[in-house]
Amino acid sequence: MKKDEILGIDIGGSGIKGAVVDTATGELVTDRHRIETPQPATPEAIAEVIVQMAKHFKWKGDIGCGFPAVVQAGLVYTASNIDASWININAKKLFSKATGLKVTVVNDADVAGLAEMKFGAGKKQKGVVILITVGTGIGTAIFTQGELLPNTEFGHIELNGDIAERSISDATRKRDELNWETWALRFNEYLALLEKLFYPDLFILGGGLSKKPEKFLHLLKSKTKIIPAKLQNNAGIVGAALTAKQK
Ligand code: BGC
């Protein structure tokens, strides 16, 4: 284990992915390891997966986790796509106790955003940048002058009378078998709403969807420039490690 290496873990609705990250370069220094998210995804069940992950990498150093909810100082406040029993659980304390290691837990979109701003599509971007992760839910991270405004939940603003993520997430696209045109029509409305609220300089699209930009990028329309996340699905792992390093 070298000085800058941290085990980054991306806790998602369907899979929990981990790898050792060199936080100085943003490179993964091991292969990714994926474990299915247990169902129900209770605090005890997820803590057990974090223990398994540390064991897999024979890890004894610090761990950073991206978590799909509002997290303040390790405490989980919301539970849209995770088990309701997470609310008011201190994930940082739970995972630290379970592994016996120092664990940092931060919102998943925020960590992905930090990774993209440092090593990926947002590098040297000074204006207002909005990273949108499209996966099981919709996560957002907003930056101005490279600084993050943490725990923004703009996947939950109202779009056509419902919580936005219910109609535009990748999980909805797959579940309702939406073709790319239909999904993009909805997503364009969402982008227009964010534009009206924030007047951003750049949108970065991340999450599971960013693995296949050729399927949808040409269908997206907004005044603001849109680019896919450069670190693609690794942004969550890299950003989780980066956050642990900074803390
Ligand atoms: C949660 C966010 C999270 C996003 C992506 C949303 O449902 O409320 O906190 O960042 O999903 O996982």
Side-chain angles (χ1 to χ4, degrees):
M1 187 177 65
K2 301 209 185 95
K3 179 169 80 53
D4 291 319
E5 289 181 0
I6 299 220
L7 174 57
I9 302 180
D10 183 11
I11 302 174
S14 58
I16 299 178
K17 286 95 48 186
V20 177
V21 178
D22 180 341
T23 54
T25 61
E27 302 285 332
L28 303 193
V29 298
T30 62
D31 282 343
R32 283 162 57 111
H33 182 59
R34 184 181 191 277
I35 301 177
E36 285 288 303
T37 305
Q39 298 301 338
T42 58
E44 296 69 32
I46 303 265
E48 181 48 34
V49 174
I50 305 302
V51 171
Q52 290 307 321
M53 198 61 93
K55 272 199 190 136
H56 172 85
F57 290 103
K58 299 189 179 57
W59 192 249
K60 296 278 173 265
D62 292 354
I63 300 179
C65 295
F67 193 83
V70 171
V71 186
Q72 274 182 314
L75 194 68
V76 176
Y77 275 86
T78 60
S80 305
N81 291 307
I82 51 170
D83 199 76
S85 59
W86 272 102
I87 292 180
N88 285 329
I89 295 284
N90 192 313
K92 177 184 168 66
K93 280 194 186 149
L94 178 72
F95 297 162
S96 299
K97 193 160 172 235
T99 55
L101 300 170
K102 192 174 148 214
V103 186
T104 304
V105 185
V106 175
N107 173 264
D108 58 354
D110 285 356
V111 301
L114 286 164
E116 284 297 330
M117 294 302 283
K118 187 148 171 117
F119 299 115
K123 210 167 155 184
K124 301 207 175 92
Q125 291 287 342
K126 288 276 176 248
V128 174
V129 179
I130 304 187
L131 172 116
I132 308 169
T133 63
V134 187
T136 308
I138 294 284
T140 53
I142 303 199
F143 295 84
T144 174
Q145 303 300 320
E147 287 290 324
L148 170 71
L149 174 66
N151 284 311
T152 54
E153 283 286 314
F154 294 114
H156 287 244
I157 55 174
E158 193 184 308
L159 182 70
N160 296 326
D162 200 355
I163 294 170
E165 73 175 5
R166 291 209 183 125
S167 61
I168 56 169
S169 73
D170 206 30
T172 301
R173 184 187 64 78
K174 289 179 185 155
R175 187 198 61 211
D176 295 350
E177 296 176 4
L178 302 178
N179 60 30
W180 286 105
E181 285 72 19
T182 308
W183 174 83
L185 221 57
R186 294 180 184 184
F187 202 77
N188 283 338
E189 286 182 322
Y190 178 63
L191 293 177
L193 191 54
L194 289 181
E195 279 185 317
K196 210 163 73 180
L197 293 170
F198 299 103
Y199 290 90
D201 297 294
L202 179 68
F203 283 124
I204 301 176
L205 291 192
L209 199 86
S210 63
K211 281 185 287 187
K212 42 201 169 200
E214 69 286 353
K215 300 266 188 208
F216 61 84
L217 216 51
H218 61 288
L219 299 168
L220 295 184
K221 293 189 178 32
S222 77
K223 275 187 245 118
T224 312
K225 190 172 166 199
I226 311 170
I227 52 176
K230 208 167 154 200
L231 305 175
Q232 298 187 345
N233 229 5
N234 284 342
I237 295 175
V238 174
L242 211 57
T243 313
K245 179 77 187 171
Q246 285 166 354
K247 298 214 167 184

